[in-house]
Amino acid sequence: MKSTLKIDKSKRVGALDRRIYGSFIEHLGRAVYNGIYEPTHKSADDKGFRGDVLSLINELNVPIVRYPGGNFVSGYNWEDGIGDKSKRPRKLDLAWFTIETNEVGIDEFQEWAKRANTDIMMAVNLGTRGADSARELIEYCNGETDTYFANLRRKNGFDKPFGIKLWCLGNEMDGWWQICHKTAEEYAREATETAKVLKWIDPSIELVACGSSDHNMPTYGEWERTVLDHTYDYIDYLSLHCYYGNYNGTADFLARAEDMDRFIKEIADICDEVKAKKNSDKAINLSFDEWNVWYRTKDEEKSAEKWQIAPHLLEEKYTFEDALLVGCMLSTLQNNCDRVKIACLAQLVNVIAPIMTENGGDAWKQTIFYPYMYASLYGNGEVLSVNASSDFYKSKEGWDIPYLCTSVVDNKEKGELVIFATNRSLDEDMELEISLDGYEDYSLVKHIELYNDDLDATNERHSERVFPTERAIDAGSSVKLKKHSWNMLILKK
């Protein structure tokens, strides 16, 4: 199979915000306890954080992490996770039917974030609580005044503010499963008033309002219009969430990145529709703050024993096939960088995650770790609008799906042109012809390939079957992409 990729230096999508390589840690399953935090582990540091996990997270170079939820946040009292640990209450978590010990809260998480070299995307509870709790939380985190909650932070040992600059106004409030689920009108009013008080206290922050939990929600579209109609003047981003699974065979599964692309463009259009209605000069951009492959362990909490502490929940075992789709979705996010400024691979450790741990034992990389890592490390700069041509196949919806899924990033700082390319064909290798306009003095210097003959291959604790290899560079303008493979090509001057 032959495909072509025409790259023109003058045709650009826009500058890429590094926050699209963000992730997510929720108080769910073993994400926090026995994930990032395990004081008895041999690698634990002075605060109880697992050093082996921190090392793997630092390999990913994660720019921002959403916290503390997720569904969990809609029933969370943030005050339970500050101050003297011996006085913190154990509580029932109605989101996941577990017991929350509150050993880790914002006091600990902000310290973990520093050690992970990342920033925090803080979510506030707009389920059981609202603007009053949110204003107290931001004063605690960011306040510099001689007032109660800022002084409470100082009393707890943190003289300097945490300086959290990105805040989420609740989580998936359109979902019936959410604690204190709201109608669009109810949520929009609460979000508007919360946004106002948060920005009154700290005008430097950015705010994310809840969009639809999924584009198959019955209120999809109208939810966005109602929420934006109320919150437009106060927020900066609207959220999108979507997870994909293999329900119709591998070919259709790999086509789900095109569904993600349509979702993004539909929401961007709605944002622009409201902008025009309001005659506003302000553009609302997008925060795709939950995305991943997730289907094998969906609804697992419903059959699990209730009221455990840090049970094994939603621990998806990722295959090579999953890594291919994650690679395609990363390209989709890059190609929409003009509107998607933030994205969070959900989640980071143990729970539908690229990193897995054993309680008291090892930590290891799942298959999806690799496309995520390479995108984060090398996909920085300006995304180019390219002309890609390849054969195609039909998805279950009847869409034309090109076998070649690609994105191209111009990293001027490093003098690199980085091509991410997935061959979605299950049967044929691809000869990719690369044409350069404005980059004639560039040549291919590195080809990283992620490939396995077995689409169901997984990485286990002591057996890594899916890992990247560096291919030899051939002379000429074409590159061979193996059947069902993910690739990163680096061209330099």
Side-chain angles (χ1 to χ4, degrees):
M1 181 194 311
K2 291 188 176 182
S3 298
T4 60
L5 181 60
K6 295 181 179 179
I7 301 172
D8 185 336
K9 193 171 188 176
S10 66
K11 296 180 179 178
R12 297 174 178 265
V13 177
L16 189 149
D17 189 323
R18 263 202 51 76
R19 293 178 298 176
I20 73 162
Y21 304 126
S23 193
F24 182 20
I25 290 283
E26 180 173 0
H27 284 251
L28 158 59
R30 297 190 310 126
V32 175
Y33 308 113
N34 298 315
I36 64 169
Y37 178 80
E38 191 176 355
T40 59
H41 194 270
K42 61 185 178 182
S43 74
D45 62 19
D46 61 312
K47 297 294 184 182
F49 303 127
R50 282 185 60 152
D52 57 348
V53 173
L54 274 171
S55 294
L56 292 176
I57 291 169
N58 282 323
E59 282 188 47
L60 291 170
N61 195 24
V62 181
I64 199 158
V65 177
R66 187 166 170 246
Y67 175 84
N71 295 347
F72 172 81
V73 77
S74 292
Y76 181 51
N77 295 348
W78 66 268
E79 305 95 326
D80 294 341
I82 62 170
D84 187 344
K85 287 192 181 187
S86 68
K87 296 179 180 178
R88 296 184 190 180
R90 289 190 175 199
K91 288 193 173 179
L92 298 181
D93 168 29
L94 301 184
W96 303 107
F97 305 105
T98 58
I99 291 176
E100 173 55 49
T101 67
N102 285 304
E103 293 171 78
V104 172
I106 189 58
D107 282 358
E108 291 75 25
F109 195 77
Q110 60 84 29
E111 179 59 36
W112 175 85
K114 292 174 186 174
R115 299 180 187 202
N117 298 309
T118 192
D119 291 327
I120 298 172
M121 181 181 190
M122 190 74 186
V124 301
N125 177 357
L126 294 191
T128 59
R129 308 185 91 181
D132 194 41
S133 171
R135 73 188 178 103
E136 293 170 350
L137 174 58
I138 197 169
E139 181 191 328
Y140 183 87
C141 291
N142 292 5
E144 298 186 59
T145 51
D146 181 14
T147 49
Y148 179 80
F149 287 101
N151 286 334
L152 180 58
R153 184 196 69 241
R154 297 182 182 105
K155 179 182 175 183
N156 289 337
F158 308 100
D159 186 56
K160 292 183 178 179
F162 299 156
I164 300 171
K165 296 302 181 184
L166 185 59
W167 294 72
C168 298
L169 299 167
N171 173 76
E172 295 185 354
M173 297 310 300
D174 62 327
W176 58 265
W177 57 88
Q178 202 68 209
I179 300 170
C180 295
H181 150 68
K182 291 176 169 55
T183 66
E185 188 73 24
E186 289 168 341
Y187 169 72
R189 291 294 305 126
E190 188 68 61
T192 299
E193 297 308 311
T194 303
K196 284 161 61 176
V197 298
L198 289 175
K199 286 201 171 180
W200 285 344
I201 292 170
D202 188 348
S204 69
I205 64 170
E206 293 184 301
L207 296 175
V208 183
C210 290
S212 293
S213 302
D214 184 273
H215 59 348
N216 295 312
M217 296 293 290
T219 55
Y220 174 60
E222 284 310 306
W223 173 277
E224 281 76 8
R225 290 180 180 91
T226 300
V227 169
L228 288 171
D229 195 50
H230 284 275
T231 64
Y232 203 94
D233 292 337
Y234 305 100
I235 67 165
D236 305 281
Y237 307 97
L238 188 68
S239 75
L240 301 80
H241 292 180
C242 206
Y243 297 95
Y244 293 102
N246 185 347
Y247 301 108
N248 299 288
T250 299
D252 190 76
F253 177 60
L254 297 182
R256 294 303 91 199
E258 305 302 317
D259 182 80
M260 184 189 209
D261 184 69
R262 287 168 184 248
F263 186 18
I264 291 168
K265 288 178 169 56
E266 286 173 0
I267 296 298
D269 285 346
I270 292 173
C271 290
D272 292 344
E273 172 191 321
V274 178
K275 176 184 178 181
K277 174 185 172 183
K278 290 182 171 290
N279 195 27
S280 175
D281 293 328
K282 173 183 173 181
I284 299 295
N285 287 315
L286 308 182
S287 173
F288 213 128
D289 44 50
E290 286 190 37
W291 70 273
N292 205 342
V293 172
W294 178 28
Y295 66 107
R296 301 173 186 89
T297 60
K298 263 189 177 292
D299 301 322
E300 190 177 56
E301 78 282 357
K302 294 177 182 177
S303 59
E305 180 185 345
K306 287 186 177 181
W307 316 130
Q308 300 179 75
I309 296 172
H312 291 259
L313 281 180
L314 315 188
E315 297 189 6
E316 199 92 351
K317 185 182 287 187
Y318 286 111
T319 65
F320 172 58
E321 171 185 84
D322 298 330
L324 292 176
L325 179 56
V326 165
C328 289
M329 289 195 284
L330 284 160
S331 284
T332 299
L333 292 170
Q334 290 167 340
N335 287 332
N336 285 282
C337 72
D338 55 331
R339 297 309 294 265
V340 179
K341 303 300 181 180
I342 303 159
C344 301
L345 177 74
Q347 295 190 16
L348 189 52
V349 183
N350 286 330
V351 176
I352 48 174
I355 298 169
M356 293 297 297
T357 72
E358 179 184 55
N359 295 354
D362 296 331
W364 63 96
K365 303 170 183 177
Q366 292 232 66
T367 63
I368 64 171
F369 184 97
Y370 292 109
Y372 179 29
M373 178 188 75
Y374 282 109
S376 176
L377 294 180
Y378 293 92
N380 299 296
E382 288 190 88
V383 178
L384 301 181
S385 177
V386 298
N387 184 351
S389 176
S390 76
D391 292 343
F392 61 87
Y393 63 97
K394 294 287 186 181
S395 70
K396 73 181 178 95
E397 298 91 350
W399 303 340
D400 290 340
I401 307 298
Y403 285 110
L404 176 64
C405 177
T406 188
S407 53
V408 181
V409 182
D410 183 357
N411 188 329
K412 291 181 180 178
E413 187 177 323
K414 291 186 176 180
E416 292 178 347
L417 196 61
V418 184
I419 301 170
F420 299 97
T422 303
N423 179 2
R424 287 190 270 218
S425 173
L426 304 181
D427 307 305
E428 291 186 54
D429 293 345
M430 178 183 293
E431 182 183 337
L432 178 62
E433 183 74 22
I434 301 172
S435 169
L436 301 173
D437 186 351
Y439 297 99
E440 287 80 7
D441 53 347
Y442 280 62
S443 59
L444 184 63
V445 296
K446 182 174 285 191
H447 180 180
I448 300 294
E449 176 186 81
L450 195 65
Y451 175 79
N452 195 291
D453 284 332
D454 182 3
L455 288 164
D456 293 323
T458 60
N459 290 346
E460 309 293 341
R461 177 187 168 201
H462 293 306
S463 172
E464 187 174 65
R465 295 180 60 198
V466 179
F467 53 88
T469 57
E470 187 164 351
R471 298 255 331 249
I473 303 300
D474 296 324
S477 59
S478 66
V479 180
K480 178 183 174 183
L481 308 181
K482 285 184 184 175
K483 63 179 182 179
H484 55 75
S485 68
W486 176 91
N487 304 265
M488 182 182 73
L489 311 171
I490 298 179
L491 292 79
K492 274 182 171 288
K493 288 187 179 182

